[in-house]
Amino acid sequence: PMVNFKNGTFFGTNIEVAKMLARAVGKEVKFVYCPFARCLNMMKDGKADMMVAINKTAQRMQYLDYLEQPFSSKITPVRFYQKLKDKVEINSYNDLYGLTIGVLRGASYFKHFDNDTKLNKVEITTHQQLIEMLIKGRIDAFLGRELSIKKRVDEKRYYSKMKVAPFIYTKKNDFYIAISKKSSKKVNVDQLSHILDNLLADGSISLLLN
């Protein structure tokens, strides 16, 4: 929801954060549209240099250098979506067992869920595909952040085809800026971290986020 793409133009908070950092080091930014898993692979291979608003995980740290501190931290509920007329209720975590659950390929949700090998999880490329597969009955549920999902489906369809399960997992999310370890642009991560510190201290980032 922090990035939008319309008529060939990218806009949104994350876009402005990237531009602000680029200006501070005298560079321009070229934005690339890609499904999340492909974005990660591009970073891993050095075909992209920077990602904005990414969670820090041990696996990603193998191929990403993160700026020292997050540029944003939010309490965000992770919600489970079902078909509107589904009689199965997800009232607790244990109700997930036995269901086919769609997940965004490459995404990190919460530790217990991410590491639970007993759940039947199906990796899917985009949020739009998750929504379509749910509505067509190919998965029983998928999870995501409400703001992200509402941005990707029209309001009538959202309320007439889908419902939010009672079970909600709430966690604090730290959103980082990361640089590919294979970037050919010789990005100075320490320099960018210092610039980000200054932008956070003088309120420039807060103005974008509010």
Side-chain angles (χ1 to χ4, degrees):
M2 309 296 279
V3 174
N4 293 288
F5 181 71
K6 189 174 182 180
N7 299 326
T9 301
F10 291 91
F11 59 95
T13 301
N14 293 349
I15 298 298
E16 296 307 315
V17 169
K19 288 179 178 179
M20 189 179 291
L21 282 174
R23 284 195 298 269
V25 292
K27 294 184 180 294
E28 294 184 0
V29 184
K30 177 183 177 182
F31 297 101
V32 179
Y33 178 82
C34 50
F36 186 70
R38 190 186 303 167
C39 287
L40 289 178
N41 285 330
M42 290 178 70
M43 294 289 286
K44 192 173 185 178
D45 296 336
K47 295 178 180 178
D49 304 295
M50 181 168 72
M51 282 185 76
V52 177
I54 182 171
N55 292 331
K56 183 187 287 189
T57 69
Q59 182 182 14
R60 293 172 187 171
M61 289 176 71
Q62 295 177 22
Y63 57 91
L64 298 177
D65 287 324
Y66 286 83
L67 300 199
E68 188 173 343
Q69 65 173 307
F71 75 92
S72 175
S73 296
K74 294 181 179 179
I75 303 295
T76 55
V78 178
R79 314 199 70 162
F80 288 83
Y81 288 84
Q82 300 175 270
K83 286 184 70 174
L84 182 64
K85 296 182 179 180
D86 194 337
K87 295 181 180 179
V88 175
E89 289 193 357
I90 303 175
N91 294 306
S92 68
Y93 185 90
N94 287 339
D95 292 332
L96 299 174
Y97 293 109
L99 301 181
T100 300
I101 305 167
V103 297
L104 191 66
R105 182 174 291 120
S108 173
Y109 295 98
F110 55 95
K111 191 174 182 179
H112 186 187
F113 180 87
D114 295 339
N115 297 333
D116 194 339
T117 58
K118 295 180 180 179
L119 291 174
N120 182 23
K121 292 177 278 191
V122 179
E123 291 190 336
I124 300 169
T125 305
T126 67
H127 285 100
Q128 284 83 358
Q129 289 173 336
L130 285 170
I131 293 166
E132 291 302 320
M133 289 187 70
L134 177 71
I135 290 172
K136 292 176 181 177
R138 295 177 182 174
I139 56 176
D140 299 312
F142 72 84
L143 68 167
R145 297 176 182 89
E146 191 168 13
L147 183 59
S148 297
I149 304 307
K150 279 188 171 181
K151 280 275 189 177
R152 291 171 169 87
V153 59
D154 67 84
E155 187 173 346
K156 182 179 179 181
R157 205 171 189 216
Y158 183 90
Y159 289 106
S160 66
K161 300 290 185 180
M162 301 162 59
K163 66 179 179 181
V164 180
F167 174 65
I168 301 172
Y169 184 87
T170 301
K171 69 170 185 174
K172 179 185 176 186
N173 262 317
D174 291 326
F175 297 104
Y176 285 87
I177 295 165
I179 306 297
S180 169
K181 288 181 182 288
K182 290 188 176 181
S183 172
S184 62
K185 302 297 187 296
K186 297 181 179 179
V187 179
N188 188 319
V189 177
D190 290 337
Q191 180 190 18
L192 279 184
S193 290
H194 179 68
I195 292 169
L196 178 60
D197 287 344
N198 290 336
L199 293 173
L200 288 167
D202 69 15
S204 298
I205 298 293
S206 295
L207 286 174
L208 290 177
L209 298 177
N210 294 332

